[in-house]
Amino acid sequence: MGPLISCDDLLVTSSPQPPTEPTEPNGHSGHAHAGHGHSSGHSHSHSHGPAAPVSKHLRKVIAAVLIPFAVAVFVGLAVLWPGGTPDHERTGVGFDRQTQQAKVVSLELVDCKSVNAAQVPPTGEGSAPTGGGARAAQTGDCKKATVEIGSGPDKGRTFVEIVQPGAPRQLADGQKVVVAYAPDAPRDLQYSVIDVNRKLPLAVLAGIFALSVVLVGRMRGLFALIALVVSFGVLTLFILPAILQGSNPLVVAVVGASAIMLIALYMCHGLTARTSVAVLGTLVSLLLIGLLGSVFIDWAFLSGNTDDNTGLIHGLYPDIDMSGLLLAGIIIGSLGVLDDVTVTQTSAVWELHQADPSQGPRALYRAAIRIGRDHIASVVNTLVLAYAGAALPLLLLFSIANSSMGSVANSELVAVEIVRTLVGSIGLVASVPVTTALAALVVSADRPESPAVAPGSGPVRGGRGRRRKR
């Protein structure tokens, strides 16, 4: 069987290779040939890609650590695997509504007074204007949209939707929409528009993303996309249903995140010692994040039930540990950035060792940690800004209320994001020295085996009968 091909072997550029012996005129390269009974210190190796293979002994050591871990992860998957999302009676609130696809087939302007727009109940989140918008709705022109149901048992049925001039969501003729169905309501009020159908633009954007990843990353990009699909598969088929079935969210998150880590890293970067070191560094960092998250969620009395969505989840499934769900989210959210940091640091150590094989573990660690410090600064800043951007509307509300920074930070809505950000950032910072130290120890301890020499064998001759010395 040929050597395993990793994503690193498929890079467009490769690191400089050590010099080899000159090629002979007949086309045979100057490989070392073993002569009978004598040897010398001259040797060379041929590496295919940035990562040179490690010795059999080190491969056995790494396998002895990772194979039991991988077995435990997949046993956990088998034991905790859910039978699907449990059924429940729909509440008709928020996301827990029956929905169908529909299309606006006609649109006309009407006087708001003629349709009594000020008294029209809101048909979806944020669709009814308030304040000045409500006053304008009594005097302005409203849109009277005729909407045709495109799916479900009432396909082909039409209903009328009144859109007030101050509503944040306006409709256009021919626009595809999502409608909510309330079977217990009067017939004229059973359907209402709750959102716009965005499947086409989202699908086009996803296609552009996939195409750009494959064009630039080539085979590595393709493997990255496959790993992304697998990650979402584990998330939607295992993690979410298992939590809804009542399994401990922390245990489910650890098992699911470990499975995603193993599948994604090995799929993209190959079954190599370098990838295995990155896996070990990621695992240690995830354990640290889980420990810190558990301590500070309990200490800060964070319930995890902070908005309408988490409140709805708790109402539908009261047995779910919401604080455990919060911790599970912190672990899964940190995994993607951790993978990036650990793979980068491991690759840096391997490349530094290949550039100067005489460096010991301390020299390798000192050189690689300088790269890691730059990485820490950029990654932590990225993580904090990402969370701040997601919470920007909430921060604006606190700013409007003229709340002090202490009051803002003390509210559970913001405290959850602070704990999420800081715990994840501590794990990221710790992953750099941990992964760098592991990689430096592993690559420095590597002693590639010398070719075996058969006892009693005669001299091996080159392509033209000349004896070659090692």
Side-chain angles (χ1 to χ4, degrees), residues 194-214:
I194 59 170
D195 211 340
V196 174
N197 190 327
R198 304 179 180 90
K199 291 181 180 179
L200 180 59
L202 292 179
V204 171
L205 181 59
I208 295 173
F209 163 73
L211 183 62
S212 61
V213 169
V214 173

Side-chain angles (χ1 to χ4, degrees), residues 241-313:
I243 291 175
L244 292 177
Q245 290 280 11
S247 300
N248 187 293
L250 177 58
V251 176
V252 171
V254 170
V255 173
S258 300
I260 290 173
M261 174 183 66
L262 289 171
I263 295 171
L265 285 180
Y266 282 118
M267 182 177 292
C268 184
H269 301 283
L271 289 169
T272 64
R274 180 164 67 178
T275 307
S276 299
V277 172
V279 168
L280 289 174
T282 305
L283 175 62
V284 172
S285 302
L286 281 178
L287 292 176
L288 177 61
I289 289 173
L291 177 62
L292 286 175
S294 179
V295 169
F296 283 94
I297 286 174
D298 290 340
W299 193 5
F301 295 99
L302 298 178
S303 65
N305 191 357
T306 56
D307 56 25
D308 293 340
N309 294 328
T310 53
L312 179 60
I313 293 172

Side-chain angles (χ1 to χ4, degrees), residues 81-362:
W81 192 266
T85 303
D87 295 328
H88 69 275
E89 293 185 6
R90 290 186 178 271
T91 64
V93 178
F95 291 104
D96 195 40
R97 288 178 287 190
Q98 298 184 44
T99 59
Q100 301 293 345
Q101 302 301 312
K103 181 180 180 181
V104 178
V105 293
S106 67
L107 197 66
E108 61 177 309
L109 292 177
V110 295
D111 183 48
C112 290
K113 288 184 178 180
S114 66
V115 292
N116 201 15
Q119 303 300 321
V120 174
T123 55
E125 294 88 347
S127 62
T130 58
R135 289 190 297 271
Q138 301 177 23
T139 57
D141 289 333
C142 291
K143 292 180 180 179
K144 182 179 179 182
T146 301
V147 183
E148 181 180 351
I149 309 299
S151 62
D154 291 330
K155 182 178 180 180
R157 176 178 163 183
T158 61
F159 69 95
V160 174
E161 181 87 3
I162 302 299
V163 183
Q164 300 172 7
R169 181 177 57 245
Q170 298 294 317
L171 300 180
D173 192 9
Q175 187 174 37
K176 293 183 178 180
V177 294
V178 179
V179 297
Y181 175 56
D184 297 332
R187 179 176 173 81
D188 292 341
L189 300 177
Q190 285 182 335
Y191 285 98
S192 59
V193 177
I194 59 170
D195 211 340
V196 174
N197 190 327
R198 304 179 180 90
K199 291 181 180 179
L200 180 59
L202 292 179
V204 171
L205 181 59
I208 295 173
F209 163 73
L211 183 62
S212 61
V213 169
V214 173
L215 287 177
V216 177
R218 299 189 181 182
M219 287 301 296
R220 170 175 286 192
L222 179 61
F223 283 126
L225 290 177
I226 296 174
L228 182 63
V229 172
V230 172
S231 299
F232 272 102
V234 173
L235 181 65
T236 56
L237 298 178
F238 170 71
I239 295 177
L240 299 181
I243 291 175
L244 292 177
Q245 290 280 11
S247 300
N248 187 293
L250 177 58
V251 176
V252 171
V254 170
V255 173
S258 300
I260 290 173
M261 174 183 66
L262 289 171
I263 295 171
L265 285 180
Y266 282 118
M267 182 177 292
C268 184
H269 301 283
L271 289 169
T272 64
R274 180 164 67 178
T275 307
S276 299
V277 172
V279 168
L280 289 174
T282 305
L283 175 62
V284 172
S285 302
L286 281 178
L287 292 176
L288 177 61
I289 289 173
L291 177 62
L292 286 175
S294 179
V295 169
F296 283 94
I297 286 174
D298 290 340
W299 193 5
F301 295 99
L302 298 178
S303 65
N305 191 357
T306 56
D307 56 25
D308 293 340
N309 294 328
T310 53
L312 179 60
I313 293 172
H314 185 65
L316 294 174
Y317 302 95
D319 294 334
I320 292 180
D321 179 8
M322 298 304 294
S323 60
L325 186 62
L326 171 61
L327 180 57
I330 292 174
I331 293 174
I332 295 171
S334 303
L335 179 60
V337 188
L338 270 179
D339 288 351
D340 173 51
V341 173
T342 55
V343 168
T344 300
Q345 283 305 113
T346 307
S347 298
V349 173
W350 244 261
E351 294 296 336
L352 289 168
H353 176 72
Q354 190 170 358
D356 185 3
S358 64
Q359 290 189 93
R362 288 188 178 182

